[in-house]
Amino acid sequence: MTTPVCTNASKAALLSSPSHGIESRYGAYAPYASFSSYVRARGPVLLRTARSLTANPCDAEDLLQTALTKTYVAWERIEDHRALDGYVRRALLNTRTSQWRKRKVDEFACDELPEPETVPAPDPAEQQVLHDAMWRAVMKLPDRQRAMVVLRYYEDLSEAQTAEVLGVSVGTVKSAVSRALGKLREDPELAPVR
């Protein structure tokens, strides 16, 4: 939504003339030097206010631009220029409320729900119990097998990388990991997992 800044040709000519206006931080020429200096001085503070009203920084800049345009149009009618921050903040809030009310809702009533049925998430406590049981079983392995299992499955290294880290052959890693997995399968604490 755009708010017209000028309503006749003389104002438009004044705005477009660089010799009569002062370039504001936002790129437009303002015939009111006080408005331009106000925007330069208070722009960053007002932008922070706009950012607190909307999540997207680009939307916040657009929101501030619209509020400043409304303030510019009413500049001559504002009697107390010491209360300009309050005026602009009210314009920001009113503009944001207006945008929120005009939003388009893309929801339609239908007979069937489009969402698939969700599988209930596993209980975090049960996952922690399983994690602890697995780690206890890994800790029961001999040091060399435990190191290979940790490197292969916890650190996600390949067989070649594991062999390089431990200074052994790839065949040694394969056989030791195979024996370690066999011991883990036989561990009574991990029986519920099978």
Side-chain angles (χ1 to χ4, degrees):
M1 182 176 104
T2 58
T3 305
V5 175
C6 50
T7 55
N8 59 34
S10 64
K11 283 187 179 179
L14 183 61
L15 284 175
S16 64
S17 169
S19 62
H20 289 89
I22 297 174
E23 186 174 353
S24 73
R25 174 173 180 237
Y26 297 97
Y29 287 95
Y32 302 112
S34 58
F35 176 78
S36 181
S37 61
Y38 170 75
V39 170
R40 261 190 254 110
R42 301 298 295 165
V45 173
L46 297 171
L47 184 57
R48 279 195 301 270
T49 303
R51 283 187 178 157
S52 69
L53 294 174
T54 182
N56 186 340
C58 295
D59 290 343
E61 290 174 4
D62 292 343
L63 180 64
L64 178 59
Q65 185 67 38
T66 303
L68 289 174
T69 302
K70 291 177 180 181
T71 305
Y72 176 83
V73 171
W75 192 255
E76 292 177 341
R77 295 189 313 266
I78 299 173
E79 294 176 9
D80 186 9
H81 281 221
R82 292 174 296 173
L84 282 173
D85 281 358
Y87 183 90
V88 175
R89 284 189 180 106
R90 175 50 60 186
L92 283 167
L93 189 59
N94 290 346
T95 302
R96 183 65 182 138
T97 302
S98 177
Q99 290 172 347
W100 178 79
R101 286 180 180 156
K102 290 180 183 177
R103 76 187 188 284
K104 183 179 177 183
V105 179
D106 291 331
E107 293 182 13
F108 304 100
C110 59
D111 293 335
E112 296 179 20
L113 293 176
E115 296 88 12
E117 291 184 27
T118 57
V119 177
D123 183 18
E126 290 177 11
Q127 286 182 322
Q128 187 62 44
V129 168
L130 177 62
H131 180 269
D132 292 344
M134 178 61 80
W135 192 246
R136 281 192 301 274
V138 168
M139 293 304 290
K140 292 178 190 174
L141 295 173
D143 292 341
R144 188 171 171 174
Q145 288 180 358
R146 181 174 53 239
M148 291 182 191
V149 167
V150 167
L151 290 173
R152 279 287 289 129
Y153 297 106
Y154 283 88
E155 296 295 323
D156 201 25
L157 297 181
S158 68
E159 291 169 341
Q161 291 169 328
T162 303
E164 185 180 331
V165 168
L166 296 175
V168 296
S169 69
V170 174
T172 303
V173 171
K174 287 181 180 181
S175 62
V177 168
S178 176
R179 285 192 303 273
L181 292 177
K183 288 179 182 179
L184 291 175
R185 282 187 202 98
E186 296 170 2
D187 193 299
E189 280 192 81
L190 299 178
V193 177
R194 287 181 236 134

